[in-house]
Amino acid sequence: MEDGTVQGEAKSERMEAVAPHPLAELLECPPETGKLLNGAAHCIEFDAGEVVFRQHGVCKGLYVVVGGLFLRKAERLKTRLTLGPARAGDLVELAAALGDGHHTYTLSAQTPGSTLMLPIESLSQVFESYPPLRMRLLEELAREVSRAYLSCCLNRTVHVRRRGNGDEQASAGA
């Protein structure tokens, strides 16, 4: 029993280490830089079912969900995957905004909602004038990847345990 508790605590500590940081902390920058970001940002409203951006499309900026529920979907190796929801306060498409500039998944509104979009050109200017912002966002992207990895590992463990229990029950009945 003790071993299970230790493993549970270790998983909890790993999840805390990769927990998302508050948006205000991530986008914190000097006043002049903040003014540039605020001046360039614009709010976009979406109806349920409307697509915000499509996988492989050119990234126009960094998106922050303001309200509503959005769903991330991707196609990988000819398989469609649901990557999970995006809710108010979530940064979406850090990988595209910080990487090659192409969306890695499709984002669509599940309910009426809105996003704040920081145009890629303005973001590039801010990165030039205040490099620590790029580093903070890269760190958040690393945490996002770690959260996804841990989630996959936990789901796989649960799946294997369930399958294992079924096998044990089948063996016990044989």
Side-chain angles (χ1 to χ4, degrees), residues 136-156:
R136 267 193 234 124
L137 293 176
L138 285 167
E139 289 168 355
E140 184 62 19
L141 178 59
R143 284 188 289 275
E144 188 176 293
V145 170
S146 293
R147 285 190 299 274
Y149 176 77
L150 283 173
S151 177
C152 286
C153 288
L154 291 174
N155 288 339
R156 181 173 288 157

Side-chain angles (χ1 to χ4, degrees), residues 27-76:
L27 297 178
E28 185 181 334
C29 46
E32 288 179 25
T33 306
K35 286 178 188 175
L36 176 63
L37 279 177
N38 287 334
H42 58 277
C43 194
I44 308 168
E45 301 287 328
F46 295 95
D47 291 326
E50 214 174 333
V51 173
V52 179
F53 52 76
R54 293 193 185 281
Q55 184 175 356
H56 305 299
V58 174
C59 179
K60 295 179 182 174
L62 181 61
Y63 296 81
V64 180
V65 176
V66 176
L69 179 65
F70 293 80
L71 195 60
R72 303 171 225 213
K73 291 186 176 186
E75 189 171 312
R76 303 277 196 273

Side-chain angles (χ1 to χ4, degrees), residues 116-169:
L116 187 66
M117 199 262 287
L118 304 169
I120 203 76
E121 300 82 18
S122 300
L123 209 51
S124 294
Q125 288 177 347
V126 168
F127 292 158
E128 289 289 321
S129 67
Y130 189 65
L133 179 60
R134 180 187 211 69
M135 287 307 301
R136 267 193 234 124
L137 293 176
L138 285 167
E139 289 168 355
E140 184 62 19
L141 178 59
R143 284 188 289 275
E144 188 176 293
V145 170
S146 293
R147 285 190 299 274
Y149 176 77
L150 283 173
S151 177
C152 286
C153 288
L154 291 174
N155 288 339
R156 181 173 288 157
T157 302
V158 168
H159 179 69
V160 169
R161 284 183 184 159
R162 285 184 188 148
R163 189 175 59 207
N165 287 342
D167 290 347
E168 288 169 13
Q169 289 172 354

